[in-house]
Amino acid sequence: YDISTQDDRRIADAFQRFDKDGNGEITAEELQNIFTLVGERDRDGAFLTLDQVRTIIRRFDENDDGVLQFEEFAKLWMAKRRSAMSEEALRRAVVVCGYNEVGQQLCSLLDRANIAGIPYVAFARDAESISAGVTNGARVIYGDGASGSLIRAAGVEEPTAIAITYQEVDRCLRATACLRDAFPETPIFVRSDRNDAVKKLVQAGATEVVLTAGSVASGMGKLLGVRKDNRFAALEEDSAAALTLRNSASALYPSVTKESDGPVPDLKM
């Protein structure tokens, strides 16, 4: 998913064509016209309203000025392209369990990683989360993210990593155990609000536990190979980290079996 020279030219041509007044930025009104021209609709089949377009802009507006400069527009372009990700990218996509506040923040980080983003699929069971996914342009599927069979049915056969963002400890434990059984070699990163749950989560199969002492989404993003890019003040993929996550998990993180009573690795970030 690295951007190609051809992609770069197409994005530049599109930006110039849609920037009607040539001032180097695309407004919400201009972007709404773009979406209308290409037939973009919301979940009810209606064309996007100006408020919906402004919500989309906020996801990619790095400097919070309410408009899209070229780099920001390019990230939006590639996020839309990625929504129809290739079969191979889908097969190895990151799985995000839960599209709550933390899940949404994490998906936003993955969307903005590099200009092409890191492919992911999020799972949620409530209508509000699914609606938020549509508004945000995120790839969110209805269903239980703790189901390995559902994840595979969605086309993700060998996830690069799994991020579990549920707030409830019991739900995180169940999801961790189920997904560890379904994907024995895949790194599993779990959110936790409680220090006393860390050992149980690791014993259930978590590779790393991210505590809510700081930004959970940012902590998970770092584990998934997302880092700061000073050129664009955005996020890009650290391909070395992202590509070796699966192969290096056992070496980087000492295993703790469900039966182990030994010391738990220091997983707090």
Side-chain angles (χ1 to χ4, degrees):
Y1 274 80
D2 290 335
I3 187 169
S4 67
T5 302
Q6 185 179 24
D7 287 327
D8 204 6
R9 281 198 294 266
R10 287 177 178 174
I11 296 171
D13 290 343
F15 185 82
Q16 292 175 1
R17 185 164 65 251
F18 297 134
D19 178 17
K20 296 297 185 181
D21 54 12
N23 65 347
E25 57 190 31
I26 292 179
T27 65
E29 290 78 9
E30 290 171 330
L31 187 59
Q32 184 185 37
N33 289 334
I34 296 172
F35 285 144
T36 301
L37 284 173
V38 300
E40 185 81 12
R41 297 173 184 268
D42 63 18
R43 62 180 303 181
D44 298 320
F47 287 115
L48 300 184
T49 66
L50 202 55
D51 284 341
Q52 288 174 314
V53 173
R54 290 193 179 107
T55 298
I56 294 172
I57 285 179
R58 282 196 290 271
R59 290 191 74 221
F60 300 92
D61 186 12
E62 297 288 345
N63 58 1
D64 296 321
D65 62 355
V67 296
L68 296 179
Q69 281 78 40
F70 176 74
E71 290 85 0
E72 298 165 340
F73 175 76
K75 288 178 172 59
L76 169 61
W77 175 288
M78 295 305 295
K80 297 299 292 182
R81 179 185 127 174
R82 191 182 56 260
S83 65
M85 68 177 70
S86 70
E87 183 177 341
E88 175 60 22
L90 178 60
R91 187 179 71 83
R92 297 281 289 123
V94 170
V95 170
V96 178
C97 299
Y99 198 65
N100 48 29
E101 182 180 357
V102 172
Q104 290 180 36
Q105 292 173 357
L106 177 59
C107 289
S108 179
L109 289 176
L110 295 174
D111 272 334
R112 296 158 58 191
N114 202 353
I115 201 166
I118 296 175
Y120 69 86
V121 177
F123 293 85
R125 292 189 300 186
D126 61 287
E128 184 178 347
S129 294
I130 298 297
S131 178
V134 173
T135 300
N136 293 337
R139 191 181 184 94
V140 183
I141 294 176
Y142 179 82
D144 185 2
S147 169
S149 59
L150 176 61
I151 291 173
R152 289 193 171 95
V156 188
E157 298 177 8
E158 298 180 32
T160 297
I162 297 170
I164 298 174
T165 70
Y166 305 133
Q167 186 173 10
E168 304 86 354
V169 172
D170 288 345
R171 192 176 181 190
C172 286
L173 283 167
R174 182 178 69 85
T176 301
C178 291
L179 294 176
R180 175 53 68 218
D181 288 340
F183 303 102
E185 303 299 324
T186 299
I188 298 178
F189 307 125
V190 188
R191 167 251 187 105
S192 178
D193 295 346
R194 290 167 39 187
N195 286 286
D196 60 359
V198 172
K199 182 174 181 177
K200 291 180 180 179
L201 288 166
V202 173
Q203 290 177 337
T207 303
E208 181 93 42
V209 178
V210 181
L211 294 170
T212 54
S215 170
V216 177
S218 177
M220 285 187 168
K222 291 176 182 177
L223 292 170
L224 292 169
V226 176
R227 63 180 175 81
K228 282 285 185 180
D229 176 7
N230 293 329
R231 292 177 303 160
F232 300 113
L235 292 151
E236 68 173 9
E237 178 184 2
D238 181 339
S239 57
L243 292 176
T244 59
L245 267 175
R246 182 182 180 203
N247 295 331
S248 65
S250 59
L252 290 174
Y253 305 103
S255 60
V256 177
T257 65
K258 297 177 184 179
E259 295 77 18
S260 173
D261 289 325
V264 177
D266 183 7
L267 302 178
K268 185 173 180 179
M269 297 190 62

